[in-house]
């Protein structure tokens, strides 16, 4: 029995949605669902826009009249002038913008600034203790864990979390848990060596 125009449009619409879910895959679909839940949980004041207070590197920063659509990465770079976190792909694929939020690594380009008013945010600028480098920063220098240096801030933040999480029992484990951070220069062997050296220096 042929479909009338209304029924046909509804049928094609359902097929398009189903096809889209199959095309993007279950992992990305789950991520989209999680993002939707996060958006629904967003405070109404954040949706309307207004002043936002972020705790960055142990300091409370006021961002007046922040557009609720601003990503954490853009807030850090454009409003707070913390340019260590780099904008690479801007799609969460390269890891150049990795920061630590409550000790856990996160791509700053994939999350909104307004969602983190109650969180502790650490960027690469906040890892050192005054003039004393974080052990991971020192190890990257010792092991030449970079070439152009563009991905290095994100690599270092991710490495700090990787060590804290205890995922440094083998080279393969380090590679697996650092795989979200890409290096176009191909300095991966030295990055792995830097992570291992930082673990040794921390335990010494």
């Amino acid at each position: 029995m042929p479909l009338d125009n209304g029924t046909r449009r509804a049928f094609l619409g359902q097929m398009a949605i189903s096809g889209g879910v199959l095309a993007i895959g279950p992992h990305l679909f789950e991520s989209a669902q999680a993002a939707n839940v996060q958006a629904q949980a967003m405070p109404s004041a954040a949706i309307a826009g207004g002043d936002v207070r972020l705790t960055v590197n142990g300091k409370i920063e006021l961002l007046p009249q922040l557009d609720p659509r601003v990503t954490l990465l853009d807030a850090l770079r454009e409003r707070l002038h913390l340019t260590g976190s780099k904008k690479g792909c801007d799609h969460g694929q390269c890891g150049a913008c990795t920061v630590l939020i409550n000790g856990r690594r996160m791509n700053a380009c994939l999350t909104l600034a307004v969602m983190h008013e109650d969180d502790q945010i650490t960027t690469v600028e906040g890892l050192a203790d005054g003039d004393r480098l974080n052990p991971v920063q020192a190890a990257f220098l010792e092991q030449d864990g970079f070439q152009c240096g563009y991905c290095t801030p994100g690599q270092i933040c991710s490495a700090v979390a990787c060590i804290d999480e205890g995922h440094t029992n083998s080279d393969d484990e380090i590679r697996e848990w650092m795989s979200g951070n890409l290096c176009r220069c191909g300095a991966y062997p030295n990055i792995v060596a830097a992570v291992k050296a930082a673990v040794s220096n921390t335990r010494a």
Side-chain angles (χ1 to χ4, degrees), residues 46 48-52 54 63-71 75 79 113-114:
D51 297 350
V52 174
L54 299 179
L63 285 69
Q65 294 301 307
L66 185 71
D67 189 313
R69 297 168 296 179
V70 172
T71 64
R79 298 293 293 271
V114 295

Side-chain angles (χ1 to χ4, degrees), residues 61-151:
E61 303 280 4
L62 176 64
L63 285 69
Q65 294 301 307
L66 185 71
D67 189 313
R69 297 168 296 179
V70 172
T71 64
L72 178 59
L73 176 60
D74 286 339
L76 292 171
R77 290 181 57 84
E78 306 298 333
R79 298 293 293 271
L80 298 180
H81 308 293
L82 295 171
T83 56
S85 304
K86 303 303 182 187
K87 181 175 284 195
C89 66
D90 211 24
H91 288 83
Q93 297 175 347
C94 71
C97 65
T98 303
V99 298
L100 303 177
I101 299 180
N102 299 328
R104 300 183 64 181
R105 44 190 154 173
M106 183 173 290
N107 291 334
C109 73
L110 290 185
T111 186
L112 300 176
V114 295
M115 300 303 298
H116 298 287
E117 283 199 284
D118 298 324
D119 295 329
Q120 297 291 326
I121 302 165
T122 304
T123 69
V124 70
E125 291 92 341
L127 293 177
D129 183 8
D131 293 333
R132 182 180 180 184
L133 293 178
N134 179 281
V136 175
Q137 292 174 307
F140 265 71
L141 288 172
E142 294 167 2
Q143 301 296 325
D144 291 328
F146 54 88
Q147 289 187 36
C148 78
Y150 196 84
C151 74

